[in-house]
Amino acid sequence: MKRSLLAACLAVPTLGWAQNELSNFTATGRGGVATTFATDYQAIGINPGNLGRVGGARFAFTIGEFGAGIGSQALTRTQLNKIVYQADEKLSLADKQELARTFTSDNALNVNVDATTFGLAVAVPGLGSIAISNRQRISSHVALNKNAAEIAFLGKDAPIFQNYSIQTSPLVSEALDGTEIQMAWLNEFNVALGTRLLDLPLVQLSGGVGYRYIQGVGIVDTRVADGKVEAYGSMSPLFNINYGALVNNPSFNLREKASGLQPVGEGHGFDLGLALEAGKKLRLGLAVTDLGNMSWEGNLVTANDQKLKRLRSSGIDSYNFFEEAAEIFSAGSDSLFQYQPSATRKAALPTKLRAGAGLRVSEYFETGLDVTLPLNTVAGNISAPFVGLGVDYKPVRWLRLSSGVSAGAGYNVSVPLGLTLTTGIYEAGISTRDVAGLLSSENPYLSMAAGFLRFKFGKVE
């Protein structure tokens, strides 16, 4: 069965549960605090300056580190579980009214998946360390204003449609102001270099740069704000979307299914970072990540502002939110948006500013504070600033425990927990971004990250 645009986009993240950078299982156990902690290939996308630091591995590699999660600041655990596990269950009128209320939120749903398929870092004498990796990143964010949530779950019976007339109907930009539906799937090939810039007895400064070639597997970016409607999508043939009559339009750049991920866009990104060590205890880090742009061309459609039209349907009738919402917000016949084919669309990457401070008390105990700020509002970026305090503690040489506290990026205050088995050459671990979220009945956050094939050899002096 062919899927409509939004259903395909939002269905992808339901294959896993995530948050930002969850493929780094060691960082996940500290709640995402990594700017001063991350080393070797794990520094890619976080702070390439750490590749030039003293104490890093001379050679490190992995095959498969991954993480996944889902969270909401509006839904209850019961509602979230039903969306994930009981999607076919039908909604009563009371259910629809309650979901319309709870989905009225600027953080109704946040779902991300992050996986490093392979990573490698090598120290080069006299130069620094070079790292490469391949990473899959999937991020999505759903925010609905009151009208959008009521239309989604009540359809033609939503209050805004009472006494409806096309002549007096408001514009979509007015009725849905504050609504955001965003998703991006990127396939990245990364290379980064870090080197020592200053090497004094008590102060060492390292700098790093990273480059990534990005294949765009798919994107949906729908935002209604400040009197404007910005809505576009470009999806790989992998999703088998039915574009209907749009395929006959000569302006539509149709990409047909063949094999593999079949990217429909490409781009180039850059990371810049600095890492300062003062004495043997204090570490400071500063980085800007994901500078650059994507160009989307294949299967590209866009939508503009228009009069709000009354739906024919009664809205979402089951907990299958992802698929049924597509009939309302995407290019279906009963949609609030009129999509048109486009030739190309240039979009900025989800740029972030990262700043961190760390204190290495001993080889058994280290703590750090991170602040991450989104520098734009494009699909795939965190939806709000992130702040976290992280701790690594080794009660014995072969076991590292991680924890801390973090907040922001579209999530509530969370308490992470990580457990890593470590030897001189091997690490394996599992972690969660929020222990409390696993147990909470209100505003739950479920996450997991793991890595079982991480190897490190030698140490940079």
Side-chain angles (χ1 to χ4, degrees):
M1 180 179 68
K2 293 185 176 181
R3 291 176 289 179
S4 54
L5 180 63
L6 184 60
C9 294
L10 295 183
V12 173
T14 65
L15 299 175
W17 301 338
Q19 188 171 324
N20 190 49
E21 294 162 355
L22 282 168
S23 65
N24 187 334
F25 69 94
T26 58
T28 299
R30 296 185 297 270
V33 176
T35 304
T36 60
F37 285 86
T39 59
D40 51 73
Y41 61 83
Q42 289 188 337
I44 291 175
I46 295 175
N47 185 1
N50 289 348
L51 287 167
R53 276 181 13 193
V54 173
R58 290 193 176 275
F59 179 80
F61 75 94
T62 190
I63 301 175
E65 295 181 14
F66 64 91
I70 182 171
S72 172
Q73 291 190 0
L75 304 179
T76 65
R77 172 177 291 278
T78 298
Q79 291 170 330
L80 196 63
N81 285 345
K82 287 188 174 183
I83 289 173
V84 175
Y85 298 114
Q86 299 170 254
D88 293 334
E89 182 177 327
K90 295 299 182 181
L91 299 174
S92 67
L93 178 59
D95 291 332
K96 291 160 73 76
Q97 292 171 336
E98 178 63 17
L99 285 168
R101 185 188 67 80
T102 54
F103 262 88
T104 302
S105 169
D106 58 2
N107 270 299
L109 200 58
N110 292 287
V111 187
N112 305 78
V113 176
D114 198 350
T116 297
T117 60
F118 74 88
L120 173 69
V122 179
V124 180
L127 180 62
S129 292
I130 298 174
I132 61 173
S133 72
N134 170 250
R135 186 163 68 161
Q136 304 289 323
R137 285 202 288 177
I138 302 173
S139 304
S140 66
H141 169 64
V142 177
L144 303 177
N145 76 351
K146 186 174 185 291
N147 288 329
E150 290 175 343
I151 290 171
F153 289 98
L154 302 176
K156 58 184 174 61
D157 299 317
I160 196 171
F161 292 135
Q162 292 181 4
N163 304 317
Y164 176 80
S165 168
I166 189 64
Q167 289 77 23
T168 60
S169 174
L171 293 171
V172 170
S173 58
E174 299 171 354
L176 304 186
D177 184 59
T179 294
E180 297 179 351
I181 300 172
Q182 299 176 305
M183 174 270 173
W185 181 355
L186 305 178
N187 178 26
E188 301 178 350
F189 298 91
N190 299 281
V191 59
L193 168 66
T195 188
R196 207 83 50 81
L197 301 177
L198 181 65
D199 193 355
L200 299 175
L202 296 178
V203 178
Q204 292 85 40
L205 176 67
S206 300
V209 60
Y211 165 77
R212 62 180 52 91
Y213 169 70
I214 309 168
Q215 293 180 330
V217 181
I219 190 168
V220 163
D221 194 350
T222 299
R223 285 175 285 163
V224 184
D226 302 324
K228 297 179 181 179
V229 174
E230 183 174 359
Y232 73 97
S234 179
M235 297 300 296
S236 166
L238 170 71
F239 300 101
N240 198 28
I241 297 172
N242 183 3
Y243 290 99
L246 286 175
V247 300
N248 300 318
N249 191 311
S251 299
F252 187 60
N253 186 5
L254 178 65
R255 300 283 178 88
E256 298 185 274
K257 191 171 184 179
S259 61
L261 295 179
Q262 290 289 289
V264 287
E266 68 174 9
H268 306 274
F270 301 89
D271 303 327
L272 301 172
L274 293 172
L276 177 71
E277 296 182 79
K280 296 183 178 181
K281 297 185 181 299
L282 180 63
R283 291 174 174 174
L284 302 175
L286 183 67
V288 179
T289 61
D290 280 318
L291 293 162
N293 295 278
M294 289 288 298
S295 292
W296 300 91
E297 298 180 351
N299 298 336
L300 178 64
V301 292
T302 60
N304 298 313
D305 203 4
Q306 63 175 328
K307 287 279 190 177
L308 182 70
K309 61 179 183 179
R310 186 178 186 181
L311 298 185
R312 297 190 299 273
S313 73
S314 58
I316 297 172
D317 288 321
S318 73
Y319 281 98
N320 193 347
F321 170 81
F322 299 110
E323 185 168 345
E324 294 201 36
E327 301 303 320
I328 299 169
F329 294 104
S330 74
S333 59
D334 198 23
S335 173
L336 292 174
F337 297 94
Q338 295 288 345
Y339 282 91
Q340 301 296 328
S342 298
T344 186
R345 177 88 179 205
K346 191 173 183 179
L349 293 176
T351 309
K352 305 177 190 68
L353 173 67
R354 305 182 63 113
L359 186 65
R360 191 172 189 268
V361 178
S362 71
E363 62 177 312
Y364 298 105
F365 184 84
E366 185 172 355
T367 185
L369 175 69
D370 262 22
V371 177
T372 303
L373 304 176
L375 298 184
N376 55 29
T377 57
V378 302
N381 211 340
I382 57 176
S383 57
F386 165 86
V387 179
L389 174 67
V391 174
D392 275 353
Y393 171 61
K394 295 181 70 173
V396 293
R397 288 188 176 272
W398 52 269
L399 176 64
R400 183 171 65 241
L401 302 177
S402 303
S403 190
V405 61
S406 62
Y411 295 85
N412 292 317
V413 175
S414 60
V415 178
L417 180 64
L419 185 153
T420 303
L421 302 178
T422 177
T423 71
I425 63 172
Y426 175 70
E427 288 186 353
I430 188 168
S431 57
T432 178
R433 199 69 173 262
D434 186 21
V435 175
L438 296 174
L439 306 174
S440 173
S441 60
E442 299 292 332
N443 304 331
Y445 174 50
L446 312 176
S447 69
M448 183 191 73
F452 302 105
L453 294 171
R454 173 168 161 81
F455 298 89
K456 300 190 298 180
F457 302 92
K459 183 180 291 188
V460 176
E461 301 296 339

